[in-house]
Amino acid sequence: MFYPKILTIQDISCVGQCSLTVALPVISACGAETCVLPSAVLSTHTAGFSGYTFRDLTEDMPAINAHWQKEGISFDAVYTGYLGSTKQIDYVAAILDTVKKPDGVTVIDPAMADNGKLYPGFDEAFVEAMKSLCAKADYVVPNLTEACLLTGIEYRTDYDRAYVDSILTALLALGAKNVIFTGVSYAEGKTGVVVLENGVYAYYEHDKLPNSCHGTGDIYASAFVGALVRGKSAYDAARIAADYTVECIKETAKLDGHWYGAAFEPVLGKLIGMLER
């Protein structure tokens, strides 16, 4: 039995249901050994909380990589999420070159922007560094804002298939082999994900829910990785991840005052069921 070993590299927000506190349980629920490399530790995530603590772990990353090499540890897939600096991106590139298996899969979620603007603390230098990391991706998983920043194409909320195709072409020109383009909406009340794999376009559409939750991008990318390493096609993995994320948002809507994240844990069983079909 193939028992994949996955490395995910992103921060730990101790409270807030995002980054590693999402990736570790979600990928594990998919049946993969999930190893982690924390890029930083925060008391909470930074959206809506104030006075949070922050411990930067950037300089620990090369020493961890060196130890893994000494021990002969390698990974079947590497999945990156939120990275806090250009130096961290450089270290991640070195990790991909040293401890990812030659036939391993690289999934890059360029988690740096949404709603037409960069997250606080990021600048054009970070975007340029992220471009170089995306060039190493077997699958890059951007939202619309991130895709526009990576390609230099104007961000628009009103667009058509030709606009999306231009972004896809530009993402491939960066060097990414395949694209999982999230949050693409061609019709009012609908949204979905574009899968461009081996040059073949596919689109999975679902209802756009009225409520949104922090951390759903992390849930989506983690579920996609988990399904992919379970042997699902990229399209099926993208579809499963979308359906699971929708279930998480619906579950969160049942809760009063749960504003800081999505309730992904109560519906992990549904994700497992989706994988088994």
Side-chain angles (χ1 to χ4, degrees), residues 87-105:
K87 181 176 283 190
Q88 287 189 358
I89 291 175
D90 291 341
Y91 287 155
V92 168
I95 288 167
L96 291 171
D97 291 340
T98 52
V99 295
K100 189 193 72 170
K101 292 180 180 179
D103 60 348
V105 176

Side-chain angles (χ1 to χ4, degrees), residues 14 26 28 31 83 96-97 106 115 135 181-182 197 199 207 211 223:
C14 298
V26 169
S28 296
L83 301 171
L96 291 171
D97 291 340
T106 301
N115 297 316
F181 190 2
T182 64
E197 184 178 38
D207 290 338
N211 58 310

Side-chain angles (χ1 to χ4, degrees), residues 82-270:
Y82 184 96
L83 301 171
S85 66
T86 57
K87 181 176 283 190
Q88 287 189 358
I89 291 175
D90 291 341
Y91 287 155
V92 168
I95 288 167
L96 291 171
D97 291 340
T98 52
V99 295
K100 189 193 72 170
K101 292 180 180 179
D103 60 348
V105 176
T106 301
V107 180
I108 305 296
D109 176 5
M112 60 181 179
D114 203 0
N115 297 316
K117 59 184 180 181
L118 283 166
Y119 294 150
F122 290 159
D123 55 17
E124 283 302 317
F126 186 87
V127 174
E128 288 301 312
M130 185 58 73
K131 290 180 184 179
S132 68
L133 189 61
C134 290
K136 293 178 172 288
D138 293 298
Y139 297 92
V140 62
V141 191
N143 61 32
L144 178 59
T145 304
E146 291 156 352
C148 289
L149 288 166
L150 289 168
T151 61
I153 293 173
E154 180 187 6
Y155 172 79
R156 290 163 44 187
T157 56
D158 182 18
Y159 51 82
D160 56 14
R161 169 72 186 270
Y163 173 78
V164 170
D165 284 348
S166 69
I167 292 174
L168 294 172
T169 299
L171 288 170
L172 293 181
L174 289 177
K177 295 182 178 67
N178 305 288
V179 181
I180 311 298
F181 190 2
T182 64
V184 176
S185 176
Y186 291 128
E188 187 175 352
K190 299 287 185 179
T191 188
V193 55
V194 170
V195 177
L196 186 68
E197 184 178 38
N198 300 324
V200 179
Y201 174 100
Y203 181 62
Y204 180 69
E205 185 179 71
H206 56 81
D207 290 338
K208 185 174 184 179
L209 301 179
N211 58 310
S212 61
C213 304
H214 182 84
T216 50
D218 298 335
I219 291 170
Y220 181 89
S222 299
F224 171 79
V225 170
L228 190 71
V229 300
R230 275 284 299 269
K232 299 294 184 181
S233 68
Y235 178 81
D236 283 342
R239 173 183 55 79
I240 288 168
D243 289 346
Y244 175 59
T245 304
V246 168
E247 291 297 326
C248 295
I249 296 171
K250 288 179 178 177
E251 190 70 17
T252 308
K254 301 175 186 176
L255 304 173
D256 291 331
H258 195 89
W259 57 269
Y260 54 82
F264 70 92
E265 302 95 339
V267 289
L268 275 172
K270 291 187 178 182

Side-chain angles (χ1 to χ4, degrees), residues 1-70:
M1 182 186 73
F2 178 54
Y3 179 41
K5 180 182 290 184
I6 314 305
L7 170 64
T8 180
I9 309 172
Q10 45 195 305
D11 71 278
I12 298 174
S13 292
C14 298
V15 173
Q17 293 174 304
C18 64
S19 302
L20 279 183
T21 58
V22 166
L24 179 56
V26 169
I27 300 173
S28 296
C30 293
E33 179 184 355
T34 311
C35 307
V36 302
L37 177 50
S39 57
V41 179
L42 296 84
S43 54
T44 65
H45 63 63
T46 60
F49 292 104
S50 60
Y52 49 83
T53 67
F54 176 84
R55 175 76 63 179
D56 185 4
L57 300 179
T58 301
E59 296 310 321
D60 292 277
M61 296 171 76
I64 291 170
N65 185 26
H67 183 229
W68 285 341
Q69 292 179 70
K70 179 182 176 183

